[in-house]
Amino acid sequence: MPTRRAKIPTTKYPVERFTLDNGLRVVLTPDRSAPVIGVAVVYDVGIRSEPQGRTGFAHLFEHLMFQGSENLEKLAHFRHVQGAGGTFNGSTHLDYTDYYETLPANALERALFLEADRMRGPRLTEENLRNQVDVVKEEIRVNVLNRPYGGFPWLTLPPVMFDTFPNAHDGYGSFDDLESATVADAADFFRRYYASGNAVLAVSGDVDVAEATALVERHFGDVPARPAPERPDFTEPDLTAERRTSYTDRLAPLPAVASAWRVPDPVGDFTGYLAYAVLAEVLTDGEASRLVERLVQRDRSVTGLGGYLGFMGDPFDVRDPTALLFQAHLPPGGDVDKVLRTVDEELDRLATDGLTDGELARTQARMATHLLRDTDAVLGRALRMAVLEQQRGEPGLLNELPRLVGEVTEAQVRAAAATLRPDRRASIEIIPGGAR
């Protein structure tokens, strides 16, 4: 008997796309319901683009982009955004780096000026570089070195699963690599990757398309044209035998384990990939999910768990290769081997017996709710559309994602579960070294 399908609502956000003569791609999505705008600029450079010997450089450069620009002194960006009642930030991902603002609608031109100014060139000085190296090192100390389970598993599992430097290296960077960075390195990184032809600008919210187009052309049109660099091929073969390792975390009070399996190309095989996105939620999202019900509630072999696609939890803004991840924390003396055997049992049961009535519909409805919520705010919409344009040339896919998730069938989910075999799995175990 086929399982019930979810009734998924859709969005109809308008999308206007154009490209400036200098290669900058622009996405406008007007929404006049509130006098607020979201502005996002995405550059096609991320952790995977870093050269050997310069680990952490993509994230370091994100910091440098806030240290002044062609016509603005240090901290001026902060003052101009906050002075208009707005907020701002940036973030570094595996396949892109983004910079963004949320502002009152009457500050659109201010936001465009600020982003265009640093696209022309940040202030790359020895003082700024040394200062931001120290800031990044402190961030690593706080978030990784001096925190229980720091970097687990997004930094610790990729080198178990992957063999090539782009996919396996530490994206936060080693202190040696960060300290040896030079202003010349930063200038070369900017010239190579921060080209107008390697960027996408997205504006969402209370904008008039004609006026916004004129403002974009006014502020970005004279940014010097530089083509996008050739993007390397980061693909590597799937595993043919299980890989597993462990390490002692001196601050961790309890054992933990994380596993990953390769999934289809998120861009080249999106239909196949979506089945794994749904599978991850069937397994781990909510009290009624398969692994929560079995491992947490029934066996009590773990105290908490999660499952998701992408090492940074970014299922719809990552390129190949990527993975489906499972992670769990265990009680004192917990048996990691037993947990992994149970995961294998539940995957086999799902692949063989299928889903219960209503299980798929419930999962798809939750996923659609999350997708709709994430893009309800203008900034979430701008960011998602910018990345969809950057990686796929399809910003309007944002409107289709809930429906596409709802079209995944039980047969596709079962087939996906059947591929998550132990011989394709990479796992890492944390041995607790912290105080009991």
Side-chain angles (χ1 to χ4, degrees), residues 332-397:
D335 187 340
V336 168
D337 290 330
K338 180 182 177 182
V339 169
L340 294 180
R341 285 197 303 270
T342 305
V343 171
D344 292 338
E345 290 172 13
E346 289 299 314
L347 287 167
D348 286 342
R349 187 166 71 89
L350 176 55
T352 302
D353 300 338
L355 296 153
T356 60
D357 185 40
E359 187 176 12
L360 180 60
R362 180 182 68 242
T363 301
Q364 290 168 321
R366 286 171 69 99
M367 293 179 70
T369 298
H370 294 155
L371 287 167
L372 294 168
R373 182 192 61 199
D374 290 346
T375 56
D376 184 55
V378 291
L379 180 59
R381 213 173 305 154
L383 285 166
R384 176 63 56 80
M385 285 197 177
V387 176
L388 290 172
E389 172 65 38
Q390 172 236 352
Q391 296 184 0
R392 303 167 182 270
E394 293 183 78
L397 186 61

Side-chain angles (χ1 to χ4, degrees), residues 13 28-40 81 84-88 100-109 111 202-208 212 375-382:
Y13 297 121
L28 305 177
T29 174
D31 176 359
R32 312 306 293 270
S33 60
V36 182
I37 57 166
V39 176
V81 174
T87 59
F88 66 93
Y100 49 88
E101 296 87 14
T102 302
L103 287 155
N106 61 7
L108 172 61
E109 184 163 17
V203 180
S204 174
D206 188 12
V207 296
D208 175 85
T375 56
D376 184 55
V378 291
L379 180 59
R381 213 173 305 154

Side-chain angles (χ1 to χ4, degrees), residues 43-366:
Y43 293 90
D44 200 334
V45 57
I47 290 168
R48 283 198 257 230
S49 303
E50 295 169 345
Q52 294 196 43
R54 286 294 175 263
T55 58
F57 208 88
H59 177 233
L60 173 62
F61 200 87
E62 176 215 319
H63 280 244
L64 290 172
M65 287 285 279
F66 288 97
Q67 302 305 303
S69 54
E70 186 172 272
N71 294 295
L72 294 170
E73 72 279 11
K74 190 172 183 175
L75 302 181
H77 191 109
F78 298 53
R79 289 196 302 270
H80 283 297
V81 174
Q82 293 173 336
T87 59
F88 66 93
N89 212 332
S91 58
T92 308
H93 301 253
L94 290 177
D95 296 304
Y96 68 95
T97 307
D98 58 23
Y99 304 87
Y100 49 88
E101 296 87 14
T102 302
L103 287 155
N106 61 7
L108 172 61
E109 184 163 17
R110 180 179 299 211
L112 296 178
F113 165 76
L114 293 171
E115 290 297 349
D117 204 59
R118 61 179 165 188
M119 186 179 286
R120 290 188 186 88
R123 293 202 176 189
L124 302 177
T125 67
E126 185 67 23
E127 177 187 2
N128 285 343
L129 177 61
R130 300 274 71 86
N131 173 268
Q132 292 309 302
V133 166
D134 289 342
V135 169
V136 171
K137 287 167 60 181
E138 184 60 22
E139 191 175 324
I140 295 170
R141 292 187 187 100
V142 170
N143 292 337
V144 180
L145 300 180
N146 295 315
R147 171 178 291 186
Y149 312 103
F152 172 81
W154 78 277
L155 292 178
T156 55
L157 190 49
V160 183
M161 168 161 270
F162 297 118
D163 295 321
T164 63
F165 174 81
N167 296 319
H169 78 275
D170 180 346
Y172 248 143
S174 72
F175 281 13
D176 285 345
D177 284 357
L178 291 167
E179 288 165 355
S180 64
T182 67
V183 173
D185 292 333
D188 181 67
F189 195 82
F190 175 78
R191 281 192 299 268
R192 178 182 296 270
Y193 295 111
Y194 278 71
S196 53
N198 205 39
V200 175
L201 164 68
V203 180
S204 174
D206 188 12
V207 296
D208 175 85
V209 170
E211 292 177 4
T213 299
L215 289 173
V216 169
E217 291 173 341
R218 178 186 305 167
H219 290 284
F220 287 89
D222 63 351
V223 173
R226 300 199 312 280
E230 183 175 350
R231 187 165 56 83
D233 182 3
F234 297 130
T235 59
E236 58 179 278
D238 195 1
L239 300 185
T240 56
E242 184 176 12
R243 295 182 180 182
R244 187 166 165 185
T245 189
S246 64
Y247 67 98
T248 299
D249 184 331
R250 63 183 177 86
L251 298 175
L254 296 170
V257 65
S259 297
W261 299 259
R262 289 280 295 277
V263 296
D265 183 340
V267 178
D269 182 12
F270 191 47
T271 299
Y273 177 79
L274 280 175
Y276 289 83
V278 175
L279 172 62
E281 302 296 312
V282 166
L283 292 172
T284 65
D285 186 39
E287 296 298 308
S289 63
R290 294 287 179 114
L291 294 180
V292 170
E293 212 170 50
R294 174 76 188 272
L295 292 168
V296 179
Q297 298 172 357
R298 193 166 100 196
D299 296 355
R300 299 191 177 182
S301 56
V302 307
T303 58
L305 59 83
Y308 46 92
L309 263 62
F311 286 92
M312 300 179 76
D314 44 9
F316 299 117
D317 57 3
V318 66
R319 292 184 174 120
D320 194 56
T322 188
L324 185 152
L325 279 79
F326 162 80
Q327 66 181 79
H329 290 77
L330 285 66
D335 187 340
V336 168
D337 290 330
K338 180 182 177 182
V339 169
L340 294 180
R341 285 197 303 270
T342 305
V343 171
D344 292 338
E345 290 172 13
E346 289 299 314
L347 287 167
D348 286 342
R349 187 166 71 89
L350 176 55
T352 302
D353 300 338
L355 296 153
T356 60
D357 185 40
E359 187 176 12
L360 180 60
R362 180 182 68 242
T363 301
Q364 290 168 321
R366 286 171 69 99

